[in-house]
Amino acid sequence: MGSFTTRLGVSDGNGGAAEWVVAQVDTGAVHTVLPASLLHLLGVTPDEEREFVLGDRSVRTFPVGEARIHVEGREAYSRVVFGVDGKYLLGATTLQMLDLIPDTTNEKLIPAPELTI
């Protein structure tokens, strides 16, 4: 496991402009977490609440919704957790949606190899 930062754009997916932030790429994190205040400002709305186990093993409930994520010239809709202010985390599920692989040695995201069938 390892982590590094990357530029990430987030938008509501309905034609709104993307807001660009610096997010932590964490190979141990499943979900993308962004500040609830940012997501609300962009017009992203939660559609459910889920319980999550945090790093300290405590359990908290957070709203979850869908946003358009922009990274390394790629875009995809992804589930996002409405987190606390100052928390910008790009998780594994979003990376899979974007077909990007974290290269923790060189601290960059690389395109997933093409599959020939």
Side-chain angles (χ1 to χ4, degrees):
M1 291 214 251
S3 68
F4 56 93
T5 59
T6 192
R7 282 195 64 207
L8 173 149
V10 59
S11 64
D12 66 359
N14 294 319
E19 179 75 25
W20 290 89
V21 299
V22 175
Q24 191 77 24
V25 178
D26 188 340
T27 59
V30 174
H31 300 286
T32 293
V33 180
L34 297 168
S37 58
L38 171 65
L39 294 169
H40 288 300
L41 180 69
L42 294 171
V44 178
T45 56
D47 54 28
E48 68 176 310
E49 290 193 352
R50 291 189 188 168
E51 284 188 347
F52 294 94
V53 178
L54 305 182
D56 65 1
R57 300 290 181 226
S58 64
V59 177
R60 286 200 44 203
T61 301
F62 291 97
V64 179
E66 192 164 288
R68 188 84 172 159
I69 305 295
H70 313 257
V71 179
E72 297 289 329
R74 297 175 181 222
E75 299 178 22
Y77 285 98
S78 180
R79 302 297 286 166
V80 292
V81 177
F82 286 63
V84 298
D85 284 343
K87 186 73 164 184
Y88 300 86
L89 184 67
L90 179 58
T93 303
T94 304
L95 290 170
Q96 289 174 341
M97 301 282 295
L98 294 165
D99 288 326
L100 291 171
I101 299 170
D103 174 354
T104 56
T105 301
N106 297 303
E107 297 189 341
K108 65 181 183 175
L109 296 171
I110 57 174
E114 295 294 325
L115 176 64
T116 305
I117 298 177

